[in-house]
Amino acid sequence: MVKVGIIGATGYAGGELVRILSGHKDAEIVWYGSRSYIDKKYADIYRNMFEIVEDSCLDDNMEELAMKADVIFTATPQGFCASVVNEGMLDHTKIIDLSADFRIKDVPTYEKWYGIEHKSPQFIEEAVYGLCEVNREAVKNARLVANPGCYPTCSFLSIYPLAKEGMIDMNTLIIDAKSGTSGAGRGAKVGNLYCEVNENIKAYGVAGHRHTPEIEEQLGLASGEQVLVNFTPHLVPMNRGILVTAYASLKRKAAYEEVWAVYEKYYSSEKFVRVLEKDICPETRWVEGSNFVDVNFKIDERTGRIIMMGAMDNLVKGAAGQAVQNMNLMFGLPEDEGLAFVPLFP
């Protein structure tokens, strides 16, 4: 059994990690870390875990946990993992960080967009960007994995095949994305109150959302060129889900069958990326609660542009599910272990 520790186990992503790992036949959670709920029974915080989890919450002592766990998930705010990780810790355990601390390879870029000093830049080069569909082999041998962000995961997987094949003009790329409120975390914020969110949709982080450089860096690596995108996220009144609609100009005229073949080239053997049938648009309700990403595209003959679409659950493939997928690779387990559940509906 892989012994697992979770720091930030009482946030939304941490709670989702507990839910997924509770059904994982090769993993055992040995540490439910939570700075806010030390000594409180986990099932008293998340009542869905009544008679499933008997443990109480512990603190966030990573040094102690590193001696007890084979892998640590840090589902924590930006800056925490970078402030505590050290070589001795990584000699004893593997770390999968769900924050942005090790996603961006350029330190000044990270510090500019996140507004904090990076405390352990010496580990940035070693950290593997944990998008399994692209970096599978590197993840297998990693000590430190940077679990991708939710918006970047859905955006990247929707666009990746065409960026990789050089079929779209990356200078024309515009990404419109919408997310449920769980993406903002479990902390109490006025903007996330029911009366603020219900019956409303709003753009936020316009021309400055901190996932922008992550998207640009990863699409740049895929396309082999510097990428600048207009990325605009929106908050919609639902609990879970992300819908991405991306637009770009085709470099040349292409038929549906040619573009479909490109998507199939990259995703036909991928368990968790589903390329939908012609003219079927991805919807969040068909991926909710699952680790699937549904993608598709539509060629606009009139404008010479292509619309690339994706839908996924921001807490599963966008956070905890992807983290477990990475763990499975790191320990030589079947990649879909603990993740082969059907999306919820209704």
Side-chain angles (χ1 to χ4, degrees):
M1 298 289 281
V2 177
K3 295 188 183 299
V4 175
I6 303 171
I7 302 296
T10 54
Y12 285 143
E16 199 72 347
L17 278 167
V18 174
R19 180 180 75 88
I20 293 169
L21 291 169
S22 294
H24 195 297
K25 68 180 182 63
D26 295 311
E28 175 191 5
I29 303 175
V30 299
W31 190 290
Y32 298 81
S34 175
R35 183 176 294 176
S36 302
Y37 296 98
I38 298 172
D39 295 330
K40 190 173 180 65
K41 288 192 66 175
Y42 191 81
D44 288 342
I45 302 161
Y46 284 114
R47 298 294 298 176
N48 59 323
M49 291 297 162
F50 178 63
E51 294 191 350
I52 297 173
V53 176
E54 300 295 336
D55 299 70
S56 294
C57 292
L58 302 171
D59 59 21
D60 57 5
N61 188 334
M62 289 272 284
E63 293 283 358
E64 182 180 352
L65 177 53
M67 306 305 294
K68 298 181 178 181
D70 300 311
V71 61
I72 301 172
F73 294 96
T74 48
T76 51
Q78 328 303 333
F80 174 82
C81 187
S83 70
V84 297
V85 67
N86 56 57
E87 188 65 37
M89 195 178 292
L90 290 171
D91 283 342
H92 289 94
T93 191
K94 299 177 187 293
I95 295 175
I96 300 173
D97 180 33
L98 278 73
S99 82
D101 285 358
F102 298 99
R103 295 175 190 161
I104 298 169
K105 294 300 184 184
D106 184 67
V107 173
T109 299
Y110 169 88
E111 294 180 339
K112 173 186 174 182
W113 285 83
Y114 285 88
I116 56 176
E117 179 187 358
H118 201 294
K119 297 295 186 181
S120 53
Q122 68 272 25
F123 293 112
I124 289 178
E125 190 61 35
E126 175 185 351
V128 174
Y129 189 73
L131 194 62
C132 304
E133 288 76 12
V134 177
N135 296 326
R136 182 171 283 113
E137 294 307 312
V139 169
K140 290 178 181 178
N141 299 310
R143 298 190 303 170
L144 175 61
V145 165
N147 210 60
C150 52
Y151 280 128
T153 295
C154 199
S155 299
F156 182 86
L157 291 174
S158 302
I159 300 164
Y160 172 62
L162 300 186
K164 185 71 174 177
E165 292 294 315
M167 295 185 69
I168 54 176
D169 182 348
M170 301 301 291
N171 293 318
T172 66
L173 185 61
I174 296 172
I175 302 173
D176 178 290
K178 298 170 178 66
S179 175
T181 58
S182 60
R186 198 168 185 237
K189 306 179 186 77
V190 171
N192 292 342
L193 294 173
Y194 178 81
C195 289
E196 307 291 331
V197 175
N198 188 47
E199 297 293 333
N200 185 46
I201 181 171
K202 65 177 181 181
Y204 66 99
V206 179
H209 192 277
R210 58 191 186 181
H211 280 170
T212 303
E214 184 181 341
I215 294 170
E216 291 177 341
E217 183 172 282
Q218 293 304 315
L219 286 175
L221 291 171
S223 62
E225 58 186 277
Q226 185 175 358
V227 174
L228 292 175
V229 302
N230 282 122
F231 167 64
T232 305
H234 301 75
L235 184 68
V236 296
M238 61 186 187
N239 292 334
R240 295 169 175 260
I242 282 181
L243 181 71
V244 162
T245 310
Y247 309 84
S249 295
L250 286 163
K251 288 185 175 179
R252 58 177 176 79
K253 190 171 183 178
Y256 166 84
E257 291 75 15
E258 181 184 358
V259 178
W260 181 86
V262 170
Y263 275 87
E264 281 293 292
K265 173 183 175 180
Y266 288 93
Y267 295 146
S268 61
S269 61
E270 292 295 342
K271 168 74 175 181
F272 294 116
V273 183
R274 305 190 298 190
V275 182
L276 303 182
E277 296 173 350
K278 187 177 183 180
D279 295 329
I280 303 297
C281 295
E283 299 182 42
T284 58
R285 61 175 173 164
W286 300 128
V287 292
E288 185 173 349
S290 80
N291 203 51
F292 290 112
V293 183
D294 285 356
V295 300
N296 211 347
F297 63 91
K298 183 82 172 181
I299 299 170
D300 187 344
E301 302 281 0
R302 188 178 63 87
T303 63
R305 296 175 69 84
I306 188 165
I307 299 102
M308 299 153 285
M309 300 165 282
M312 71 176 201
D313 188 313
N314 58 294
L315 292 179
V316 189
K317 183 60 173 172
Q322 183 145 257
V324 172
Q325 194 177 348
N326 279 309
M327 182 196 79
N328 289 339
L329 287 173
M330 294 165 82
F331 288 91
L333 303 172
E335 193 170 326
D336 63 347
E337 175 54 42
L339 297 167
F341 33 78
V342 176
L344 299 169
F345 183 80

